[in-house]
Amino acid sequence: MRASRQSILLFLTPALGGMLLFVFMPIAAALLISFTDFDIYSLGYFERTRVIGLDNYVRVFNDPVFWTAVLNTLYFVGVGAPLTIVVGLFAALALNVPALRFKRLFRMAFFLPVVTTLIAVAVVWRYLYHPRYGLINYALISLGIEPVDWLGDPQWAMPALILLAIWKNFGYSMLIFMAGLQAIPPSLYEAARIDGAGWWQQQWYVTIPQLAPTTLFVTVITLIGYFQFFAEPYVMTQGGPLNSTLSVVLYLYQQGFRWWQMGYASAIAFVLFMMFAAISIVQMLIRQRQYGQLI
Amino acid sequence: MKQLKLKSLLLHVVVAIAACMTIAPFVWMVSASLTPAGESSVFPPRLLPSETTFEHYHHLFVRLNVGRYFLNSLILAVSVTMISLLVNSMAGFAFAKFAFRGKRHIFAVLVASMIVPGQVTMLPVFLLLNKMGVLNSYLGVILPAMASVFGIFLVRQYLVSVPDSMIEAARIDGAGDFLIYRTIILPLALPVLLTLGLFTFMGTWNDFLWPLIVMTREEMHTLPVALAGLLGEHAQDAELMMAGSVVTIVPVLIVFLALQKYYLQGITVGALKE
């Protein structure tokens, strides 16, 4: 409907102004900064900043620590995301069984980690992983398994952070899957039952294909969240031991805000952006192939 | 029939064990925070304190200034929520109901910008806030959080279905657009505003990276930033750290439990829209 110019300006200026100032201009600025040697001296004397073309990007691609961070992030995402989604799916399927009682209570228990402060639970888990007094090693010892130096062993530090991430996040995928399950017509299950399909077969032939759009959504959200992996290594391992848990965002933070190499950090940020763009393009292609539509 | 009962019992047992394992870290956190100093660093670990003590909470608030961090977190979460609700609901209303040139394009550009991760804009925004002189002030967190595409989008989707005739009728009665927004649109949009407000409150309370960057002076720290800082000096004091975690988690948990209906509605909106 029609509206006066003043109204439109009044209603849109705060939001669009905020977006312009804190999103769109900074994106452009980050791109420009990534072509300069902006560092701690530039903070005081901006004139000192020089344009160095693609040097930062060349440096990124030749930086072994950056590649370690990329591989660590891919490890975290590649193992953590599928496990989180699968655990969430199983939780949703279990809570969807009609005979199950106390559903709300169970759903609440599984969802609780999602809403709690990541930093606080990371602190808690740091103590759960304590090599001598931690509950997790106590459980292992009770089961007759050798205890593990979870956060101190380069081999085990990443699995430890992945386990924490699964615990923290599976409730989210569970909830989305539960909503998706509600939308599957019961007649499909009846038809499958008439054809003699057992519970597992019903899940495999009805639930999984029917949940495909939900799964795509959960996957993209989880991937994007996991690529930004930062707080867990920040408080639990500081990226160690031996850089085994250094993530791309943690490295970006260190370069940008500890060493004030802002030109270099901006180049890292754009490489991260490329990874996100790749995920989104893949998502769009899948959607287009399956549903013949874009977005 | 008997087999069915057995299966159902088995399912209950499995789900119950999984639920207990999920909440076990919280139970241990609370229990350890009430344990006398040093008692949770023993083998085998003690699940329940030998005696309950509130000394760690006392220590946190009296000696470690946690009251101040708590207040910072609360002020930020409340003000970001209020301000962003106002800004985003106004824009959402305009995008839902006003006709103006380039509307669809502007909206498409906004939505497209969601793909750019916050880490890209982090450095320039920091430099901008530095120039504005608002680092180490509440504005340093509030200003960049004012407008969000997610918020505009949510409100717009909700208001698109409001009939134009309702607004036209109010205009004929002589009401200006802001009065219409305040007296008709806001009450109508209350459910979606509660959802959005809850998301914003919890998101701001739980946020770590941005306040870590902007709030470098200790008295401006939020609870998560202070907690990460405490870990540096007090890593040995497990019980104290657990008390700090409880103080950080409990408020957000209370808010969630009180308003979970709106939270759960909101979280599935995006998925079902697909």
Side-chain angles (χ1 to χ4, degrees):
Chain A
M1 57 185 282
R2 286 182 36 217
S4 68
R5 208 192 187 92
Q6 288 112 305
S7 282
I8 294 168
L9 282 177
L10 168 75
F11 280 91
L12 284 178
T13 306
L16 294 187
M19 289 296 295
L20 198 67
L21 206 55
F22 295 108
V23 178
F24 291 104
M25 278 166 42
I27 293 173
L31 191 62
L32 292 179
I33 292 175
S34 76
F35 298 125
T36 70
D37 64 349
F38 201 107
D39 58 14
I40 190 157
Y41 304 107
S42 310
L43 281 174
Y45 305 95
F46 183 71
E47 308 76 48
R48 215 206 127 265
T49 315
R50 288 175 307 152
V51 176
I52 54 168
L54 290 171
D55 283 10
N56 284 323
Y57 291 93
V58 174
R59 195 175 139 202
V60 170
F61 283 98
N62 290 313
D63 180 352
V65 183
F66 172 76
W67 286 110
T68 305
V70 169
L71 288 179
N72 290 337
T73 306
L74 289 176
Y75 179 10
F76 179 78
V77 174
V79 177
L83 285 175
T84 308
I85 295 166
V86 168
V87 173
L89 177 63
F90 272 101
L93 289 177
L95 292 193
N96 203 40
V97 173
L100 188 79
R101 299 178 61 188
F102 315 113
K103 275 199 175 95
R104 284 164 148 263
L105 194 70
F106 287 136
R107 186 183 70 180
M108 172 85 72
F110 292 143
F111 194 69
L112 228 43
V114 177
V115 295
T116 49
T117 317
L118 179 55
I119 283 296
V121 297
V123 168
V124 174
W125 277 68
R126 213 180 110 124
Y127 291 96
L128 292 178
Y129 280 133
H130 193 284
R132 281 172 63 201
Y133 312 122
L135 281 188
I136 293 178
N137 270 352
Y138 177 62
L140 289 186
I141 292 168
S142 312
L143 295 170
I145 304 171
E146 277 286 296
V148 172
D149 183 6
W150 290 98
L151 301 175
D153 182 334
Q155 271 204 310
W156 283 104
M158 190 58 96
L161 297 194
I162 290 174
L163 187 63
L164 162 61
I166 296 171
W167 172 82
K168 175 85 169 69
N169 297 305
F170 82 93
Y172 175 79
S173 18
M174 172 194 79
L175 214 65
I176 307 284
F177 278 128
M178 284 174 79
L181 286 171
Q182 299 289 314
I184 302 178
S187 58
L188 290 180
Y189 291 105
E190 274 163 42
R193 264 199 299 276
I194 291 168
D195 288 343
W199 189 84
W200 287 101
Q201 282 174 313
Q202 286 176 36
Q203 306 313 313
W204 184 254
Y205 290 108
V206 179
T207 311
I208 305 280
Q210 286 289 315
L211 279 182
T214 315
T215 311
L216 183 63
F217 177 82
V218 171
T219 307
V220 170
I221 297 279
T222 309
L223 287 181
I224 287 184
Y226 277 21
F227 263 107
Q228 308 195 28
F229 177 48
F230 167 77
E232 300 94 326
Y234 183 91
V235 292
M236 294 174 79
T237 57
Q238 291 83 47
L242 302 175
N243 282 343
S244 61
T245 56
L246 182 73
S247 71
V248 174
V249 176
L250 182 57
Y251 190 52
L252 190 162
Y253 170 82
Q254 289 176 349
Q255 290 296 328
F257 293 102
R258 191 164 300 159
W259 314 123
W260 302 101
Q261 299 268 324
M262 295 199 141
Y264 188 49
S266 296
I268 297 174
F270 271 95
V271 176
L272 185 74
F273 175 39
M274 294 304 156
M275 297 183 192
F276 279 48
I279 299 173
S280 300
I281 290 170
V282 170
Q283 179 200 18
M284 279 200 290
L285 289 179
I286 294 176
R287 292 186 67 92
Q288 198 180 20
R289 243 182 67 189
Q290 282 192 329
Y291 316 107
Q293 63 182 49
L294 266 169
I295 307 180
Chain B
M1 197 61 211
K2 202 169 177 189
Q3 203 205 355
L4 209 68
K5 264 206 174 131
L6 194 70
K7 266 189 182 167
S8 156
L9 182 70
L10 195 68
L11 176 73
H12 281 86
V13 170
V14 170
V15 174
I17 290 175
C20 288
M21 278 167 65
T22 308
I23 59 168
F26 295 122
V27 176
W28 181 76
M29 166 185 81
V30 173
S31 148
S33 78
L34 299 170
T35 302
E39 218 180 75
S40 58
S41 298
V42 291
F43 192 89
R46 211 183 243 287
L47 293 179
L48 284 174
S50 63
E51 52 171 322
T52 337
T53 167
F54 287 94
E55 61 176 295
H56 309 298
Y57 292 94
H58 187 258
H59 189 129
L60 283 176
F61 281 93
V62 175
R63 305 234 299 271
L64 294 172
N65 211 12
V66 161
R68 174 68 204 243
Y69 309 139
F70 190 96
L71 200 65
N72 289 340
S73 278
L74 193 66
I75 291 173
L76 283 175
V78 170
S79 49
V80 166
T81 304
M82 290 304 169
I83 295 171
S84 75
L85 275 182
L86 177 72
V87 169
N88 293 323
S89 67
M90 283 171 65
F93 172 47
F95 276 114
K97 285 289 136 199
F98 291 172
F100 53 91
R101 266 181 55 202
K103 178 163 105 168
R104 286 180 57 190
H105 290 108
I106 299 176
F107 196 66
V109 170
L110 287 184
V111 172
S113 76
M114 287 170 89
I115 187 195
V116 181
Q119 287 81 11
V120 169
T121 51
M122 207 162 76
L123 295 154
V125 172
F126 174 84
L127 296 174
L128 176 66
L129 295 175
N130 183 30
K131 271 271 179 290
M132 293 167 77
V134 293
L135 295 181
N136 284 308
S137 80
Y138 295 129
L139 280 178
V141 170
I142 295 171
L143 287 178
M146 237 168 41
S148 92
V149 179
F150 175 72
I152 299 171
F153 184 80
L154 214 60
V155 175
R156 189 204 95 104
Q157 299 304 84
Y158 194 85
L159 290 179
V160 158
S161 55
V162 173
D164 285 358
S165 57
M166 217 165 151
I167 301 166
E168 302 281 13
R171 276 186 180 167
I172 290 167
D173 289 344
D177 282 343
F178 194 77
L179 189 70
I180 292 174
Y181 160 80
R182 207 168 51 98
T183 54
I184 301 177
I185 298 298
L186 280 189
L188 257 172
L190 194 62
V192 77
L193 294 181
L194 274 170
T195 300
L196 181 59
L198 192 58
F199 272 67
T200 313
F201 182 90
M202 294 173 61
T204 312
W205 184 279
N206 289 340
D207 194 18
F208 175 64
L209 182 51
W210 190 246
L212 176 73
I213 289 168
V214 185
M215 305 300 203
T216 48
R217 286 223 314 268
E218 199 174 332
E219 72 267 23
M220 294 307 290
H221 282 179
T222 60
L223 278 174
V225 176
L227 201 60
L230 273 184
L231 198 59
E233 299 154 53
H234 294 273
Q236 300 310 314
D237 309 326
E239 301 80 11
L240 183 76
M241 290 309 301
M242 288 311 105
S245 301
V246 171
V247 172
T248 309
I249 287 176
V250 163
V252 80
L253 221 49
I254 291 174
V255 173
F256 167 71
L257 291 177
L259 295 168
Q260 55 166 316
K261 192 179 111 196
Y262 297 96
Y263 190 94
L264 299 179
Q265 270 170 8
I267 211 170
T268 47
V269 160
L272 293 182
K273 279 267 152 53
E274 287 288 301

